[in-house]
Amino acid sequence: MPVKEQLIAEGLRQKMCGIFGCVLSEGNAAPLIHSSLKRLEYRGYDSVGIAVLNNGKISIKKDQGKIDEVHKIHNLDDLPGNIGIGHTRWATHGAPLKINSHPHTDCSGEIVVVHNGIIENFLDLKSELQNLGHIFSSKTDTEIMPHLIEEALKQNPQLNIQQAVQQSLKRIEGSYAFAIISTREPDKIICARNESPLVLGINHKGVFCASDIPAFLEVTNKAVMINNGELVILTNQDYEIKKISDGSTITREPISIEWTAEMAVKQGHPHFMIKEIHEQPETLRNTLRMQDHYLDLLTTFLDRANEVFLVACGTSYHACLAASYMFSKLAFLPTYPVYASEFLEQHGKSVNIDSTILAVSQSGETADTLAAVNCAQQRAATVLGLTNVIGSSLTRISRVYIGTQSGPEIGVAATKTFTSQLSVLAQLALKLAKKRGKISQDEMDTLEEKLGQIPEVVNSIVTSQEQKIQQLAKKYANSKVFFFLGRGISTATAFEGRLKLMEIAYIPSISFPAGESKHGPISLIENGFPVVFVCPKDDTHKTVIGNIMEMKARGAHIIAVIEEGDQDIKSLSDDYIEVPKGIPSVLTPIPYAIPLQLLAYYTALEKGFNPDMPRNLAKSVTVK
Ligand code: AGP
């Protein structure tokens, strides 16, 4: 089977999706499920499904496509029954296909599940269940859950549905928000959470469970937050929360949500961009749950390549630039970052069957990037893809692709997709280094451990530095120009900081490798010019200090993004933002980009601009 079809067939696991369930005291559940899924559409929209229970019978409608398209074909409202669950999907592995849309059922069709999350050990559980005779229809990780419950009930018929779910959850490794119905106990929904968000809504008409508050905010603002490791039994009058570990009951009263529906979609943030900046610890955790065999497939192609071009535009190009340092320093693989818009002119004639193109595009639809990969493919080069949108043109053109699993990015300025791209590229560089024997097991373990800590590092930067960065934005918002400088891999980070500020705060910004200053650009410096230095404590630290001093000597205001406690650079800076210690140089673009994203966002606010809708820009540039 061709690799791409294998990838489509192999792994279809939901990462950022929307689930909803309701038990009504009267009336049909389907119309409410449909409208609630519409309000969760920002969480994913490439396939949708609903299951309802009526007189002990379960009916399911599901298909690939946006909610409105599927509704037009199947009429999602036309399902009788006062209890039901629904799902709107954001595919991250494999193209969106009806067979892989939720809900999923067990062999008997009497247990039905919707899920948001990543089941990391699903392949092992699946073969165990298949050996016990269970038949699977999809290749998603989710589908193992109804069969696990079915098997638990087969082995212990005296279990009730909640106990069977509880027992099954203990077999699962990974993240989940499940909603489950069964004909065995047709008056309830069981839902459960580990890392993927889950919240209850409650009013006089019934009880609801959802991935996010917007799903039910139109019908109630009474919400109950569910925590990791908790399972809930919903009936039309009440809810009971239990600990998955020991079944003990937890009492938790509803809270009142004061958000408008519009705010709720932004989870209380004023803009999608700041919501997505804050989402990065979670989206980075998701990138660390990548199935190894996707990474191994890409690594194999990179390893055998005669030459590797990293092709992208904008922020994605900066991810490629950073990746070129990662591949070189870790795997001793030279790669060539190329602006997609220049690829045809620069390499259109030379790219050949021995060339490999790794195209990086969060949208997977950027015209310049697609033009570059089409040209390369026509010249028999191998095209690999890294994108956030499964089913996009790039995934259809790529021989092998991998998803960044960041969930939809609504803000025009790329933030969470950038750091997710970096995380996946770092994992590829690490795997390639290992495959090529360029790295010891100890070094590998250390880097993997540090990569695993990055989500928490990012979380600590956002929580500890955000206010300080807001002050910096106030202080420098009226600057007529900004400089962003870095050395080594931090050059890529500096370039990204420049783009962020330019595209949403409209301040002319200049960026180049700090070592280039004396070759011309330093003539631009005037008294008071803000110069942002991205300067982690890596091999370039000493030389960067020299660059800082040459700028300072000409009257520049130094804003340094530094490792916590770096006194040498603090003493030279007018302002500084601190990043936790101990980040390996090759991973620094991920955490060091966060302060620059926040600086751009708050500067745009200071200047009265809407960061979500920057002038003249589109989220996906589908024109050349
Ligand atoms: C980034 O903030 C910009 N929105 C833009 O530069 C973007 O990165 C570029 O257009 C590439 O988009 P892609 O990743 O979807 O290909």
Side-chain angles (χ1 to χ4, degrees), residues 461-503:
I461 294 168
V462 174
T463 44
S464 68
Q465 303 293 310
E466 185 163 27
Q467 255 191 324
K468 180 173 190 178
I469 294 167
Q470 270 181 284
Q471 296 314 312
L472 283 182
K474 280 187 191 334
K475 180 176 177 182
Y476 291 101
N478 295 321
S479 305
K480 58 180 185 169
V481 71
F482 255 84
F483 284 72
F484 288 84
L485 305 186
R487 287 189 88 108
I489 198 166
S490 294
T491 305
T493 319
F495 282 14
E496 176 56 15
R498 168 199 179 230
L499 176 60
K500 286 279 110 26
L501 190 72
M502 279 198 303
E503 65 175 330

Side-chain angles (χ1 to χ4, degrees), residues 558-569:
I558 305 302
I559 303 169
V561 187
I562 57 172
E563 179 182 280
E564 215 166 353
D566 182 347
Q567 293 306 333
D568 294 342
I569 295 186

Side-chain angles (χ1 to χ4, degrees), residues 312-318 360-367 369 386-387 409 411-415 417 421 496 499-500 503-504 614 617-621:
C313 301
T315 291
S316 297
Y317 171 78
H318 300 147
V360 178
S361 170
Q362 78 80 19
S363 64
E365 298 299 347
T366 298
T369 307
L386 171 58
T387 183
E409 185 173 64
V412 167
T415 50
T417 54
Q421 288 169 347
E496 176 56 15
L499 176 60
K500 286 279 110 26
E503 65 175 330
I504 63 167
L617 294 180
K619 183 60 189 168
S620 174
V621 183

Side-chain angles (χ1 to χ4, degrees), residues 21 199-203 206-210 216 220-224 234 239:
V199 59
L200 307 186
I202 182 163
N203 71 4
V207 186
F208 321 102
C209 60
F216 53 71
T220 181
N221 74 339
K222 295 279 175 282
V224 180
L234 302 186
Y239 61 92

